[in-house]
Coordinates of all heavy atoms in Angstrom, one line a residue:
I198 N 11.9 8.1 45.7 CA 13.3 8.5 45.2 C 13.4 7.8 43.8 O 13.7 6.6 44.0 CB 14.3 8.4 46.2 CG1 14.0 9.3 47.4 CG2 15.7 8.7 45.5 CD1 15.1 9.0 48.5
F199 N 13.4 8.5 42.7 CA 13.5 7.7 41.4 C 14.9 7.5 41.0 O 15.1 6.8 40.0 CB 12.7 8.5 40.4 CG 13.2 9.8 40.0 CD1 14.1 10.0 38.9 CD2 12.8 11.0 40.6 CE1 14.6 11.2 38.6 CE2 13.3 12.2 40.3 CZ 14.2 12.3 39.3
D200 N 15.9 8.1 41.7 CA 17.3 7.9 41.3 C 18.2 7.9 42.5 O 18.0 8.7 43.4 CB 17.7 9.0 40.3 CG 19.1 8.8 39.7 OD1 20.1 8.7 40.5 OD2 19.2 8.8 38.4
K201 N 19.0 7.0 42.7 CA 19.8 6.8 43.9 C 20.7 8.1 44.2 O 21.0 8.3 45.4 CB 20.8 5.7 43.8 CG 21.8 5.8 42.6 CD 22.7 4.6 42.5 CE 23.6 4.4 41.3 NZ 24.4 5.8 41.4
E202 N 20.9 8.9 43.2 CA 21.7 10.1 43.4 C 21.0 11.2 44.2 O 21.5 12.1 44.7 CB 22.2 10.7 42.1 CG 23.1 9.8 41.2 CD 24.5 9.6 42.0 OE1 24.8 10.6 42.7 OE2 25.0 8.6 41.8
L203 N 19.6 10.9 44.3 CA 18.8 11.9 45.1 C 18.7 11.5 46.6 O 18.0 12.3 47.3 CB 17.4 12.0 44.4 CG 17.3 12.4 43.0 CD1 15.9 12.5 42.4 CD2 18.1 13.7 42.9
D204 N 19.3 10.5 47.0 CA 19.2 10.0 48.4 C 20.2 10.8 49.2 O 21.2 10.2 49.7 CB 19.4 8.6 48.5 CG 19.1 7.9 49.9 OD1 18.5 8.7 50.6 OD2 19.5 6.8 50.2
Y205 N 20.1 12.0 49.3 CA 21.0 12.9 50.0 C 21.1 12.7 51.5 O 22.2 12.6 52.0 CB 20.5 14.5 49.8 CG 20.3 14.9 48.4 CD1 19.1 15.7 48.2 CD2 21.2 14.6 47.3 CE1 18.8 16.0 46.8 CE2 20.9 15.0 46.1 CZ 19.7 15.7 45.7 OH 19.5 16.2 44.5
L206 N 19.9 12.5 52.1 CA 20.0 12.4 53.6 C 20.7 11.2 54.1 O 21.3 11.1 55.2 CB 18.6 12.5 54.2 CG 17.8 13.8 53.9 CD1 16.4 13.7 54.5 CD2 18.6 15.0 54.7
G207 N 20.7 10.1 53.2 CA 21.5 9.0 53.5 C 23.0 9.2 53.9 O 23.5 8.5 54.7
E208 N 23.5 10.2 53.0 CA 24.8 10.4 53.2 C 25.2 11.3 54.6 O 26.4 11.3 54.9 CB 25.4 11.3 52.0 CG 25.4 10.4 50.7 CD 26.1 11.0 49.7 OE1 27.2 11.8 49.9 OE2 25.8 10.8 48.4
A209 N 24.1 11.8 55.1 CA 24.3 12.4 56.3 C 24.0 11.5 57.5 O 24.0 11.9 58.7 CB 23.3 13.6 56.4
G210 N 23.6 10.3 57.1 CA 23.3 9.2 58.2 C 21.9 9.4 58.8 O 21.6 9.0 59.8
L211 N 21.1 10.2 58.1 CA 19.7 10.4 58.5 C 18.6 9.4 57.9 O 18.6 9.3 56.7 CB 19.3 11.9 58.2 CG 20.1 12.9 59.0 CD1 19.8 14.3 58.4 CD2 19.8 13.0 60.4
T212 N 17.9 8.9 58.7 CA 16.8 8.0 58.2 C 15.5 8.5 58.5 O 14.5 8.1 58.0 CB 17.0 6.6 58.8 OG1 17.0 6.7 60.2 CG2 18.3 5.9 58.4
R213 N 15.4 9.5 59.4 CA 14.1 10.1 59.8 C 13.8 11.3 58.9 O 14.7 12.2 58.8 CB 14.2 10.5 61.3 CG 12.9 11.2 61.7 CD 13.1 11.6 63.2 NE 14.4 12.3 63.5 CZ 14.5 13.7 63.4 NH1 13.5 14.3 62.9 NH2 15.6 14.2 63.6
V214 N 12.6 11.4 58.5 CA 12.2 12.7 57.7 C 10.8 13.1 58.2 O 9.9 12.3 58.3 CB 12.0 12.4 56.2 CG1 11.5 13.7 55.5 CG2 13.4 11.9 55.6
D215 N 10.8 14.3 58.7 CA 9.6 14.8 59.3 C 8.6 15.4 58.3 O 7.3 15.4 58.4 CB 9.9 15.9 60.4 CG 10.7 15.3 61.5 OD1 10.3 14.4 62.3 OD2 11.9 15.6 61.6
L216 N 9.2 16.1 57.4 CA 8.3 16.6 56.2 C 9.0 16.2 54.9 O 10.1 16.4 54.6 CB 8.4 18.2 56.3 CG 7.7 18.9 57.4 CD1 8.1 20.4 57.5 CD2 6.1 18.7 57.3
A217 N 8.2 15.4 54.2 CA 8.6 14.8 53.0 C 7.9 15.1 51.7 O 6.6 15.2 51.8 CB 8.6 13.3 53.2
S218 N 8.4 15.2 50.6 CA 7.7 15.4 49.4 C 8.6 14.8 48.2 O 9.9 14.7 48.4 CB 7.6 17.0 49.1 OG 7.1 17.2 47.8
N219 N 8.0 14.5 47.1 CA 8.8 13.9 46.0 C 9.2 15.1 45.1 O 10.0 15.0 44.2 CB 7.9 13.0 45.1 CG 6.8 13.8 44.4 OD1 6.2 14.8 45.0 ND2 6.3 13.4 43.2
S220 N 8.9 16.3 45.5 CA 9.3 17.5 44.8 C 10.4 18.2 45.5 O 10.1 18.7 46.7 CB 8.1 18.5 44.5 OG 8.5 19.8 44.1
V221 N 11.5 18.6 45.0 CA 12.6 19.4 45.7 C 12.2 20.8 45.8 O 12.5 21.5 46.8 CB 14.0 19.2 44.8 CG1 13.9 20.0 43.6 CG2 15.1 19.7 45.7
A222 N 11.3 21.3 44.9 CA 10.7 22.7 45.0 C 10.0 22.9 46.3 O 9.9 23.9 47.0 CB 10.0 23.1 43.8
V223 N 9.1 21.7 46.7 CA 8.4 21.8 47.8 C 9.2 21.8 49.0 O 9.0 22.5 50.0 CB 7.3 20.6 47.8 CG1 6.6 20.6 49.2 CG2 6.3 20.8 46.7
Q224 N 10.3 21.0 49.1 CA 11.3 20.8 50.1 C 11.8 22.2 50.4 O 12.0 22.6 51.5 CB 12.2 19.8 49.8 CG 11.7 18.4 49.6 CD 12.8 17.4 49.2 OE1 13.9 17.5 49.6 NE2 12.4 16.4 48.4
M225 N 12.2 22.9 49.4 CA 12.9 24.2 49.4 C 11.9 25.2 50.0 O 12.3 26.1 50.8 CB 13.5 24.6 48.1 CG 14.6 23.8 47.7 SD 15.4 24.5 46.2 CE 16.6 23.1 45.7
G226 N 10.6 25.1 49.6 CA 9.7 26.0 50.1 C 9.5 25.8 51.7 O 9.4 26.8 52.4
W227 N 9.6 24.6 52.2 CA 9.5 24.4 53.6 C 10.7 24.9 54.2 O 10.7 25.6 55.4 CB 9.5 22.8 53.8 CG 8.1 22.2 53.8 CD1 6.9 22.9 54.1 CD2 7.7 20.9 53.3 NE1 5.9 22.0 54.0 CE2 6.4 20.8 53.5 CE3 8.5 19.8 53.0 CZ2 5.7 19.6 53.2 CZ3 7.8 18.7 52.6 CH2 6.5 18.6 52.8
I228 N 11.9 24.8 53.7 CA 13.1 25.3 54.3 C 13.1 26.8 54.4 O 13.4 27.5 55.4 CB 14.4 24.9 53.5 CG1 14.6 23.4 53.6 CG2 15.6 25.6 54.0 CD1 15.7 22.9 52.7
R229 N 12.5 27.4 53.3 CA 12.5 28.9 53.3 C 11.5 29.4 54.3 O 11.8 30.5 54.9 CB 12.0 29.4 51.9 CG 11.8 30.9 51.8 CD 11.2 31.3 50.5 NE 9.9 30.6 50.2 CZ 9.2 30.6 49.1 NH1 9.7 31.3 48.1 NH2 8.0 30.0 48.9
Q230 N 10.4 28.8 54.6 CA 9.5 29.3 55.5 C 9.7 28.9 57.0 O 9.0 29.3 57.9 CB 8.1 28.8 55.2 CG 7.8 27.3 55.4 CD 6.4 27.0 54.9 OE1 5.9 27.5 53.9 NE2 5.8 26.0 55.6
G231 N 10.9 28.3 57.2 CA 11.4 27.9 58.6 C 10.8 26.6 59.2 O 10.7 26.5 60.4
A232 N 10.4 25.7 58.3 CA 9.9 24.4 58.8 C 10.9 23.4 59.4 O 10.5 22.5 60.0 CB 9.0 23.8 57.7
G233 N 12.1 23.6 59.0 CA 13.1 22.5 59.4 C 14.4 22.7 58.6 O 14.7 23.8 58.0
V234 N 15.3 21.7 58.7 CA 16.5 21.6 58.0 C 16.5 20.6 56.9 O 15.9 19.6 57.0 CB 17.7 21.1 59.0 CG1 19.0 21.0 58.2 CG2 17.8 22.2 60.1

Side-chain angles (χ1 to χ4, degrees):
I198 296 177
F199 66 89
D200 192 296
K201 61 181 176 56
E202 296 296 328
L203 302 179
D204 190 11
Y205 308 133
L206 294 177
E208 295 195 29
L211 294 168
T212 57
R213 171 182 57 84
V214 178
D215 300 290
L216 291 170
S218 173
N219 67 327
S220 166
V221 71
V223 172
Q224 295 173 41
M225 291 182 187
W227 275 328
I228 294 171
R229 176 186 57 187
Q230 71 185 33
V234 178

